[in-house]
Amino acid sequence: MSVPHPHQHPAAEAGRPGAHVAGLHATGDPASGAPAAWTVATALPVSYRVRFVPGVLDPRNPALARAGGPPGRRLVVVDARVHELHGLRLRQYLEAQGVEYEMHVLLAHEQVKTMDAVFQVADRMDSFGISRRGEPVLAVGGGVLTDVVGLACSLYRRSTPFVRVPTTLIGLVDAGVGAKTGVNHGRHKNRLGTYHPAVDTLLDPAFLATLERRHLGNGLAEILKVALVKDADLFVLLERHGRALLDTRFQTPGAGAAVLGRAVHGMLQELQPNLWEHRLERLMDYGHSFSPTVEMRALPELLHGEAVCVDMALTTVVARRRGLLGAEQAERILRLMRRLELPVWHPLVEPVTLGEALADTVRHRDGRQHLPLPSGIGSGVFVDDLGAGELADAAGWLRGWSVAAPAAATGALRGSGAGA
């Protein structure tokens, strides 16, 4: 895997503001009744598993039945579309494994990713009579479904375990491997959420065989994110095999396994030292500075990964114009996005929307831009000085490139330089 970036300092976590050695410290004399104050410092150990489990619904495979604890009762929350495709196999699996279960089928997409969905899951947990620790909820579906179930479980009795079985590519490589849960609120993406990792996440690429081609591209955008700011070898794999992976839905051995393995490992490598986001400089925020606002305002036109790709295309242009990327590198990036059938521009990529998106991101990152940009292919840097004029110029150039003939676009990009 790639060498860690200089900004990664796991040991610095202990020195962050508010970090303390575990213990109880009192000032004053509590026993005498004199004014006193206490400081309570503690730490929550966190350990969770993410693993590839081919044939997860094979009735002879006990992995899912035993995930998160011994076999027993399970509430199974499954995405409505996944239930249409795999519900019978899922029921047959649970029955073959002797699991006592109830199944809750949930409609799960961005427009209904709200607290109402969380309440539905919580109501079903209550009616099922789930125990507090020994009966993890099984979440079977894409990233929206696992985010909703994770949030419900984090709230139910303040912490109920759950197990994730991602069934989409974006779930396998992104939404299914971290600690965050969340739902949309108002016009804001994932504005309400918690940190509550699944105790176990079982990744089975066989689910991708029934995934629509567009949703495969949606996940490939998040893989491309990892490649652009962390893993140059992964970028080369996508250049060589990305289109074939779209065609075969990751069902042929070799390159598909390598791409998935590198993407998951890269994500976890970045998340683990900063799981609670005490540091707000995060490489995995690449592509997520403007996309949350663009995605929510474009609903249902853009999928999450598509909005992320538009964000990455824009910031690729910014990086090129700053001299962080060479012309050939920028061309390779934009060409690969198109080869993966991803959008590089959207009408909302205009000054007003981008300005509002950046302002919201600055609030989210506690008053700083902390904006990740690619620095060459496979590494990244952070900037805090992106201005409205520079952003508008990059957006205008990208709009022109998106409709230009490839030769003309290449020539224009070669003419862009730092500060152009």
Side-chain angles (χ1 to χ4, degrees):
M1 289 296 162
S2 303
V3 176
H5 293 280
H7 78 280
Q8 295 176 324
H9 299 295
E13 190 77 359
R16 65 177 175 80
H20 303 283
V21 176
L24 177 66
H25 177 70
T27 58
D29 185 1
S32 69
W38 291 264
T39 299
V40 180
T42 187
L44 175 67
V46 175
S47 176
Y48 67 94
R49 291 205 299 178
V50 178
R51 51 186 171 136
F52 281 94
V53 183
V56 72
L57 295 186
D58 184 332
R60 299 164 295 179
N61 185 347
L64 178 57
R66 298 178 182 176
R73 300 172 72 247
R74 296 290 188 270
L75 175 65
V76 184
V77 184
V78 59
D79 174 272
R81 177 59 178 159
V82 174
H83 185 261
E84 290 177 14
L85 296 169
H86 305 289
L88 178 59
R89 289 177 59 221
L90 180 56
R91 293 176 186 275
Q92 289 173 338
Y93 171 86
L94 295 168
E95 289 162 7
Q97 287 289 325
V99 177
E100 179 187 347
Y101 71 94
E102 287 186 8
M103 192 170 292
H104 178 58
V105 179
L106 186 70
L107 187 65
H109 54 76
E110 286 294 337
Q111 292 99 310
V112 294
K113 189 183 182 185
T114 66
M115 286 303 298
D116 287 341
V118 173
F119 295 147
Q120 287 184 49
V121 176
D123 287 344
R124 196 60 183 266
M125 293 167 72
D126 205 45
S127 64
F128 184 62
I130 197 167
S131 70
R132 186 167 186 176
R133 293 287 185 263
E135 296 174 352
V137 176
L138 304 186
V140 185
V144 171
L145 186 283
T146 57
D147 273 3
V148 167
V149 174
L151 181 53
C153 288
S154 74
L155 297 173
Y156 194 80
R157 294 197 175 102
R158 297 184 180 86
S159 181
T160 298
F162 76 112
V163 171
R164 288 181 294 216
V165 183
T167 59
T168 63
L169 182 55
I170 205 166
L172 260 71
V173 301
D174 186 74
V177 303
K180 293 193 289 188
T181 75
V183 295
N184 304 328
H185 179 66
R187 300 181 69 190
H188 303 292
K189 184 172 178 66
N190 291 335
R191 185 53 51 93
L192 304 178
T194 59
Y195 297 97
H196 187 63
V199 293
D200 208 347
T201 297
L202 282 58
L203 309 177
D204 185 358
F207 285 112
L208 305 182
T210 56
L211 198 63
E212 294 178 11
R213 188 178 182 91
R214 183 183 176 194
H215 285 273
L216 287 165
N218 188 45
L220 280 167
E222 291 285 3
I223 296 176
L224 179 59
K225 171 192 72 177
V226 177
L228 286 176
V229 293
K230 184 172 179 64
D231 189 346
D233 291 337
L234 178 56
F235 185 88
V236 172
L237 282 172
L238 291 174
E239 281 189 313
R240 292 176 179 172
H241 305 288
R243 191 61 172 263
L245 294 176
L246 269 175
D247 294 338
T248 62
R249 291 178 166 81
F250 284 80
Q251 298 309 297
T252 53
V259 166
L260 292 175
R262 295 188 78 95
V264 171
H265 185 74
M267 277 290 293
L268 291 173
Q269 209 173 34
E270 287 294 319
L271 295 176
Q272 185 273 332
N274 189 30
L275 197 62
W276 311 128
E277 299 185 12
H278 295 306
R279 295 190 310 276
L280 297 178
E281 283 189 339
R282 303 174 67 248
L283 276 182
M284 293 301 102
D285 278 342
Y286 181 56
H288 293 71
S289 298
F290 305 99
S291 63
T293 297
V294 170
E295 178 186 351
M296 292 300 292
R297 295 187 184 183
L299 280 177
E301 186 178 350
L302 287 177
L303 299 176
H304 174 71
E306 294 171 339
V308 167
C309 193
V310 169
D311 186 316
M312 294 191 297
L314 175 66
T315 48
T316 291
V317 176
V318 171
R320 169 62 193 128
R321 295 168 74 89
R322 286 189 172 215
L324 296 170
L325 289 171
E328 183 180 355
Q329 292 174 318
E331 290 166 14
R332 287 174 65 192
I333 292 169
L334 295 175
R335 285 199 306 264
L336 180 56
M337 289 173 175
R338 284 198 157 170
R339 192 149 62 248
L340 297 179
E341 301 177 10
L342 289 163
V344 297
W345 185 79
H346 186 275
L348 286 172
V349 179
E350 49 80 30
V352 172
T353 300
L354 294 177
E356 292 172 354
L358 185 58
D360 191 57
T361 289
V362 167
R363 288 189 290 270
H364 184 64
R365 297 175 187 164
D366 207 27
R368 299 274 298 278
Q369 289 184 1
H370 290 308
L371 187 77
L373 292 176
S375 176
I377 292 174
S379 63
V381 297
F382 297 93
V383 302
D384 266 313
D385 61 345
L386 182 62
E390 182 181 7
L391 194 54
D393 288 346
W397 186 92
L398 185 63
R399 178 180 182 181
W401 186 91
S402 70
V403 298
T410 298
L413 190 54
R414 287 192 180 277
S416 297

